[in-house]
Amino acid sequence: MKKTFKSYIKKWHIVVLIIFVLIVVGYVFLKGGDRPIFETALVTTGDIIREVSVTGKVSPIERAQLSFAKGGIVTKIAVKVGDKVKRGDMIASLDDAVDKANLAAAEAKLADISRTLRPEEWKLEQSKVNSSKVALDNSKKDSENAFRESYNTVQSALINYTDQIFDNPQSINPTIKVRLSGTTQQSRINELRLKVTENMAKWKADIDAMTSGVDQDNLLSKAMQYLDVDKIFLSELSAIVNGLNSVNSGLTEATLEIYISDTNTAISLQNQAITVVTTADSALRNASSAYVEAQNSSSLKVAGSSSESIKAQAASVAAYRAELSRNQITASIDGIITRVVPNVGEYVSPGMTLFDLQSSGIYKIEANVAEADIAKIAIDDTAQVTLDAYGQDVIFGAKLVRIDPAETVLEGVPTYKVTLFFDDEDEKIFSGMTANTDILTDKRNDVMMVPSRSILEEKDEITGQVTGRFVRVMNPDNRDFTKVPVTVGLKGSSGTTEIISGLNIGDTVVTYVK
């Protein structure tokens, strides 16, 4: 059958209608595909904890470095490393024979000053004063001689026994002749030899400047200082030559034996010089004490047994007792001995650290808290501590006891040192361990909370200041959300924040929109 124009028009309308329907369906489909995808969470209740985590070091609560208040020869050492001591326990003592004798004499005089002095006794006292004055003058001369003699002995030891080991030994550029393994050791011994030269020059200048009015006590003290410098040099030189052999030094065995022998001889001469000075020092102190004692005795006996003289002698006795006590080191804290330096028979200088003592029992942790967290912590905050040595499953309790007010800058960031004490003694805790510490700063129990990332801020467009906070609550159709203002409380360390008002338990909040 032949198709009419009208039938063609009708088919064209149908095609257009179909195309239109397809466009509409496609638009609706594509439009629906643009709908955002939400990550959500429920508003729940629970506990919120805020912690500040830091890493620090374990150390004793107390440490003490012990020394003698005076110089002298060590006669007794009552402890060894690892010994436990109590406060007041005797650690070590010096030779105290002279001080004991002085104290005994002073105490005897105190007992004797009440009786009247007879003429023959007065003459005897004057004779004692004169004799003690002569003895003191002689002791002063002996001290000056000891100052010179010890210089000559040391100078002889250097020139005759050690200078052969150096090129230009007494110049400003002494150089050890021995080939050493490293430049550091060589530079060190050369510097010490130069220091000895400068030291001996000062010593010689003091000798040349001596007059009849010189302070002999100070003179002998200087001598010991000069001898200490030489002692260090000889000690290190001895260590070097005794460590050499013909292979590492390039020297013959015969030469090495000479170097070792001569160094030992120099050390022996050095010790002789020390003995001369210490002997002169002891004699001078004894003579001075005897002279003062003779003067005081004479004055007291001539003046009679007045209350003033008795008080003066009693003060003298107290001074001798105090001097006697300076011959001992006692423990200043309860603890454990961690270092012992001297040996019995060795001379030690006043103030030299000889023993280290650390407290036992409770240990402390010292750590640095960043500026951003310091306002969150407070004294008496509790903490949980793990030690690297035992892993995360072994937990120790601690308490914050101190926050340093002054900052410590670490890598350009202000931090503040804090100190925590462990709650209990524990034999598993040792000084130097690394302590991972979580300080509990705040806690809320059974409160309404949401993930912290679901809370957004509204800010002033001009000032940038926060004007409010809100969350996005999903609508019932789960296709969109509503912005709901909220009041927040504590922000926890585990990623949750307390909600004080604005939401209800079971609400669904948006945490992230894709």
Side-chain angles (χ1 to χ4, degrees):
M1 175 183 289
K2 187 177 181 179
K3 293 181 180 179
T4 65
F5 177 75
K6 189 173 182 179
S7 65
Y8 279 112
I9 295 298
K10 185 176 180 181
K11 289 181 178 179
W12 183 81
H13 283 173
I14 292 172
V15 171
V16 171
L17 179 61
I18 291 171
I19 292 172
F20 177 76
V21 170
L22 291 173
I23 291 172
V24 170
V25 171
Y27 174 78
V28 171
F29 176 77
L30 294 174
K31 190 69 175 178
D34 290 340
R35 185 166 65 86
I37 299 174
F38 302 106
E39 291 185 4
T40 61
L42 291 177
V43 179
T44 60
T45 60
D47 298 338
I48 295 180
I49 297 174
R50 186 176 69 188
E51 295 176 326
V52 172
S53 298
V54 293
T55 299
K57 286 291 183 183
V58 177
S59 61
I61 290 178
E62 290 183 288
R63 277 195 175 100
Q65 294 183 319
L66 307 179
S67 61
F68 284 107
K70 60 190 291 187
I73 304 297
V74 179
T75 57
K76 183 177 182 181
I77 297 176
V79 297
K80 60 182 182 298
V81 172
D83 283 355
K84 291 185 177 181
V85 295
K86 294 289 186 181
R87 183 190 300 269
D89 285 353
M90 201 272 282
I91 303 297
S93 61
L94 300 176
D95 182 3
D96 59 2
V98 173
D99 292 331
K100 283 182 176 178
N102 290 338
L103 176 60
E107 289 174 335
K109 281 189 178 183
L110 183 60
D112 187 52
I113 59 174
S114 60
R115 67 184 185 85
T116 304
L117 188 66
R118 296 187 295 271
E120 59 274 18
E121 290 177 327
W122 182 86
K123 289 182 180 179
L124 179 61
E125 290 301 319
Q126 286 300 110
S127 175
K128 289 180 180 179
V129 171
N130 294 336
S131 297
S132 62
K133 179 63 168 62
V134 171
L136 177 59
D137 290 342
N138 291 335
S139 183
K140 288 180 178 181
K141 291 179 181 178
D142 291 342
S143 297
E144 295 174 11
N145 292 334
F147 191 72
R148 295 187 185 92
E149 181 183 343
S150 57
Y151 167 83
N152 292 331
T153 301
V154 172
Q155 185 75 337
S156 174
L158 294 172
I159 294 174
N160 296 326
Y161 296 100
T162 66
D163 280 357
Q164 63 172 315
I165 308 175
F166 290 83
D167 288 327
N168 305 313
Q170 299 192 35
S171 70
I172 62 172
N173 188 29
T175 305
I176 191 167
K177 296 178 181 179
V178 179
R179 184 175 65 207
L180 302 180
S181 58
T183 58
T184 300
Q185 189 182 32
Q186 185 171 12
S187 298
R188 167 69 176 169
I189 196 64
N190 290 340
E191 289 172 2
L192 286 175
R193 184 59 187 89
L194 176 59
K195 189 173 182 180
V196 166
T197 297
E198 296 170 346
N199 183 63
M200 297 301 291
K202 293 178 182 177
W203 198 345
K204 183 62 167 60
D206 285 342
I207 291 174
D208 294 340
M210 277 198 306
T211 63
S212 59
V214 70
D215 181 354
Q216 286 81 8
D217 284 333
N218 184 52
L219 205 62
L220 294 175
S221 178
K222 275 189 174 182
M224 287 308 303
Q225 293 173 11
Y226 294 142
L227 286 166
D228 283 343
V229 173
D230 297 323
K231 184 177 181 180
I232 293 171
F233 164 70
L234 291 174
S235 176
E236 296 201 17
L237 181 61
S238 176
I240 288 173
V241 298
N242 279 281
L244 296 175
N245 56 56
S246 58
V247 176
N248 64 17
S249 67
L251 301 175
T252 65
E253 291 293 343
T255 300
L256 289 175
E257 289 179 4
I258 292 172
Y259 283 1
I260 293 171
S261 176
D262 285 353
T263 302
N264 290 337
T265 301
I267 292 174
S268 177
L269 290 172
Q270 167 82 12
N271 291 334
Q272 290 178 25
I274 291 175
T275 300
V276 167
V277 173
T278 55
T279 301
D281 181 68
S282 177
L284 179 60
R285 292 180 184 276
N286 292 341
S288 297
S289 298
Y291 179 58
V292 171
E293 181 182 347
Q295 286 184 313
N296 291 340
S297 176
S298 177
S299 298
L300 288 171
K301 290 183 178 180
V302 169
S305 57
S306 66
S307 60
E308 290 79 6
S309 62
I310 293 173
K311 288 180 180 178
Q313 185 59 26
S316 180
V317 169
Y320 281 122
R321 285 176 180 163
E323 184 65 19
L324 182 62
S325 70
R326 284 155 51 90
N327 291 297
Q328 283 192 352
I329 293 177
T330 57
S332 55
I333 60 173
D334 295 350
I336 300 173
I337 299 294
T338 59
R339 188 170 74 113
V340 175
V341 173
N343 297 306
V344 172
E346 183 178 351
Y347 176 88
V348 294
S349 301
M352 179 190 300
T353 299
L354 303 173
F355 301 88
D356 284 348
L357 173 63
Q358 73 175 37
S359 59
S360 57
I362 299 294
Y363 282 84
K364 67 181 178 181
I365 303 166
E366 291 183 332
N368 290 90
V369 175
E371 179 182 20
D373 292 326
I374 196 64
K376 299 175 185 176
I377 65 175
I379 300 298
D380 291 333
D381 281 349
T382 59
Q384 290 188 329
V385 182
T386 61
L387 302 175
D388 283 356
Y390 306 115
Q392 299 296 315
D393 296 333
V394 181
I395 299 175
F396 304 85
K399 179 179 285 188
L400 182 64
V401 298
R402 185 167 62 248
I403 302 173
D404 282 9
E407 79 282 4
T408 301
V409 178
L410 299 176
E411 298 181 355
V413 178
T415 64
Y416 296 84
K417 189 171 80 170
V418 298
T419 304
L420 304 96
F421 284 0
F422 284 97
D423 292 338
D424 303 300
E425 292 186 26
D426 196 314
E427 62 184 11
K428 294 192 293 293
I429 302 173
F430 294 95
S431 179
M433 286 184 166
T434 299
N436 307 299
T437 307
D438 295 324
I439 304 172
L440 177 62
T441 63
D442 207 346
K443 184 177 182 180
R444 300 284 191 274
N445 293 322
D446 196 26
V447 296
M448 184 164 52
M449 61 185 185
V450 297
S452 299
R453 65 180 183 278
S454 68
I455 302 172
L456 304 177
E457 295 179 342
E458 292 181 329
K459 296 183 179 180
D460 186 283
E461 294 181 357
I462 298 176
T463 64
Q465 293 182 341
V466 177
T467 58
R469 292 177 175 82
F470 67 90
V471 298
R472 296 165 293 186
V473 179
M474 291 297 297
N475 294 332
D477 59 6
N478 289 326
R479 297 176 61 85
D480 203 356
F481 57 79
T482 302
K483 292 171 57 176
V484 177
V486 293
T487 303
V488 301
L490 180 66
K491 183 177 181 180
S493 302
S494 59
T496 56
T497 298
E498 177 188 9
I499 298 296
I500 296 176
S501 64
L503 297 176
N504 296 306
I505 304 299
D507 285 348
T508 301
V509 298
V510 177
T511 58
Y512 181 70
V513 179
K514 294 184 180 179

